[in-house]
Amino acid sequence: MRGALKPLSSLILRNFRSNSLAVKPSLFIQRVERGDRIRSFGSKRRSLSSSAAASPELKHSWNMKGINFMMMKRFSRTRYTPVISTGSLKLDLALGIGGLPKGRIVEIYGREASGKTTLALHIVKEAQKLGGCCAYLDVENALNGSFADGMGINTKDLLVVHPNSAENSLSILDTLVNSGSVDVIIVDSVAALVPQCELDGLIDIYSHDAQSRLMNQALRKIHLSLSRSQTLVIFVNQIRTRSAVDTSQRNEVTCGGNALKFYSAIRMRITRRNLLHTEDKITGVGISVQVMKNKLSRSMKTADLDIEFGRGLRHEAEVLEMASKHGIAMREGDGYWINGNFFENQIKAEVYLKEKIEVADELVAALRSQLFEMVPEDE
């Protein structure tokens, strides 16, 4: 019969992640009109017509097509998203959740020599502090081991892979994600992923779509396994300038097509601001990281960071600035009070934090507990 109701078991759609139940709205309204018993949010069976007035969970109601439709709202605590810090408190604050979420895809892109690889290596460093296993797919064959050691990365426990083609790189990435034993995977970079058809053929201009099609197919397959393995996959990408129809206007595009833009939960764009000088020498660069896309918090926030050549991010200067701003370290004139010790200027305070790593870790822990109120997930 066309007007007959289907069994209730066929109307319930199970979500494998939250284990909640969802019912098709039109058929759900028919069940409410007839006063049938339903199961919602895994609670006990009850009749909506008899328990509407007594249940405290019935919060809102409205008249829909002549039916008094009750919307059941279950109040629960905020679910905690496991994150890995970027190594910068400013950037963690700009992301809104205290770091990069596990089980997601993140894209870091920008122009040349803007600090993309440096930021990716700092994420590896923070993951190793938590006891995680990390892998680095060095597609560009440009990873400097001494530079990674200088940043404090344990290169002995870092899995470094040098794939020879895009198919090999993405197959290794899929295998590592499905294994569930790797916490962070860095792919550096998307622009260097060369399909095998381009390696075997001649250099021409007719194979430029092969990379985008390959990325689209690989991301569809990898994205399915990410939520189960809780692996953070970071793609380092480059910017190309494409001329528009009007020669007076130019736009920037990233390599690998548009698939990575849609599959990424967070996209960060890095630009260089200025050069850092110490007396008459150039000792680093200042960069600006803008969160262009963020599925877990507000986007379009910016964090200004400083990179010192040979060491990476200026962690001590950032901790000192944030601690004095939020009242954890007191500032008096040009000096600073840290744990009862007074330092005349910022340079001496940074040297103290560099030597006393445990003191810097205490300041970071106090700042994170103040800036990021994390509610643990219900057991």
Side-chain angles (χ1 to χ4, degrees):
M1 295 177 61
R2 187 173 183 180
L5 292 175
K6 298 180 180 180
L8 187 62
S9 58
S10 64
L11 310 181
I12 297 177
L13 307 176
R14 290 190 177 272
N15 189 333
F16 74 96
R17 293 186 61 187
S18 60
N19 198 23
S20 61
L21 303 179
V23 184
K24 296 180 180 180
S26 59
L27 301 175
F28 181 80
I29 294 175
Q30 297 178 20
R31 286 294 186 185
V32 173
E33 185 182 14
R34 299 199 176 194
D36 291 346
R37 297 177 181 270
I38 66 170
R39 182 182 295 273
S40 178
F41 297 104
S43 59
K44 297 181 180 180
R45 292 186 179 181
R46 62 182 66 183
S47 176
L48 286 179
S49 59
S50 61
S51 62
S55 175
E57 295 181 351
L58 299 177
K59 185 65 178 177
H60 303 286
S61 64
W62 64 84
N63 191 6
M64 181 182 294
K65 295 183 179 180
I67 301 174
N68 188 17
F69 179 79
M70 294 297 202
M71 185 185 76
M72 301 186 67
K73 185 174 182 181
R74 182 180 180 181
F75 295 96
S76 61
R77 302 179 67 185
T78 304
R79 300 181 69 87
Y80 166 64
T81 302
V83 297
I84 297 177
S85 174
T86 60
S88 169
L89 286 172
K90 291 182 179 178
L91 185 55
D92 291 345
L93 187 61
L95 290 171
I97 57 175
L100 298 177
K102 300 183 67 175
R104 302 297 181 96
I105 296 177
V106 176
E107 182 184 9
I108 302 175
Y109 67 98
R111 292 189 175 276
E112 69 281 356
S114 58
K116 303 183 296 294
T117 302
T118 302
L119 180 58
L121 289 176
H122 271 281
I123 299 170
V124 171
K125 177 183 176 181
E126 295 299 323
Q128 288 183 345
K129 287 182 180 179
L130 301 175
C133 178
C134 303
Y136 195 96
L137 273 64
D138 188 16
V139 187
E140 294 183 350
N141 295 319
L143 180 62
N144 190 349
S146 60
F147 175 68
D149 289 331
M151 292 178 56
I153 297 176
N154 187 2
T155 54
K156 295 181 180 179
D157 295 336
L158 179 63
L159 177 61
V160 181
V161 185
H162 298 280
N164 53 8
S165 64
E167 290 86 353
N168 190 11
S169 304
L170 296 173
S171 297
I172 294 173
L173 176 61
D174 182 46
T175 302
L176 292 175
V177 170
N178 287 323
S179 68
S181 58
V182 183
D183 296 279
V184 178
I185 303 176
I186 309 292
V187 181
D188 190 6
S189 66
V190 177
L193 294 174
V194 183
Q196 190 65 38
C197 62
E198 295 185 11
L199 295 174
D200 297 337
L202 298 175
I203 299 178
D204 53 25
I205 61 174
Y206 299 103
S207 59
H208 62 279
D209 289 336
Q211 187 188 41
S212 60
R213 292 196 301 267
L214 187 63
M215 284 291 296
N216 191 11
Q217 179 182 359
L219 289 175
R220 286 200 309 266
K221 186 176 181 181
I222 295 170
H223 191 267
L224 179 64
S225 306
L226 278 179
S227 59
R228 302 174 184 174
S229 63
Q230 290 295 299
T231 303
L232 173 61
V233 179
I234 300 176
F235 287 93
V236 180
N237 209 344
Q238 299 177 6
I239 284 180
R240 299 290 185 265
T241 302
R242 176 182 296 177
S243 299
V245 178
D246 186 3
T247 57
S248 62
Q249 297 181 356
R250 286 176 172 263
N251 57 348
E252 294 180 342
V253 295
T254 54
C255 302
N258 295 324
L260 187 57
K261 298 179 182 179
F262 294 101
Y263 281 100
S264 298
I266 294 177
R267 301 183 72 233
M268 296 182 291
R269 186 179 188 274
I270 303 180
T271 56
R272 292 179 59 176
R273 294 184 293 109
N274 53 5
L275 298 176
L276 303 180
H277 297 268
T278 300
E279 296 178 353
D280 58 343
K281 296 181 180 180
I282 300 177
T283 58
V285 295
I287 64 173
S288 178
V289 183
Q290 185 176 10
V291 183
M292 304 299 295
K293 176 184 178 182
N294 194 348
K295 287 186 176 181
L296 289 90
S297 183
R298 295 178 57 185
S299 60
M300 306 308 294
K301 291 185 178 180
T302 305
D304 294 333
L305 312 178
D306 294 333
I307 296 178
E308 183 178 350
F309 293 151
R311 291 191 66 248
L313 296 177
R314 295 183 59 186
H315 180 68
E316 293 80 12
E318 181 177 315
V319 170
L320 191 61
E321 178 185 352
M322 297 288 288
S324 60
K325 180 179 179 181
H326 293 86
I328 297 177
M330 302 303 297
R331 183 169 183 176
E332 183 178 341
D334 294 335
Y336 294 88
W337 285 94
I338 302 176
N339 285 354
N341 300 321
F342 180 75
F343 302 93
E344 297 178 355
N345 51 40
Q346 182 178 352
I347 297 178
K348 293 184 178 180
E350 291 180 8
V351 173
Y352 174 76
L353 293 178
K354 188 182 300 183
E355 296 175 352
K356 302 292 184 179
I357 302 177
E358 64 278 1
V359 177
D361 293 339
E362 291 177 1
L363 294 178
V364 171
L367 284 169
R368 294 190 69 88
S369 62
Q370 180 176 345
L371 296 176
F372 312 111
E373 297 180 0
M374 299 182 182
V375 180
E377 186 176 0
D378 296 337
E379 296 293 339

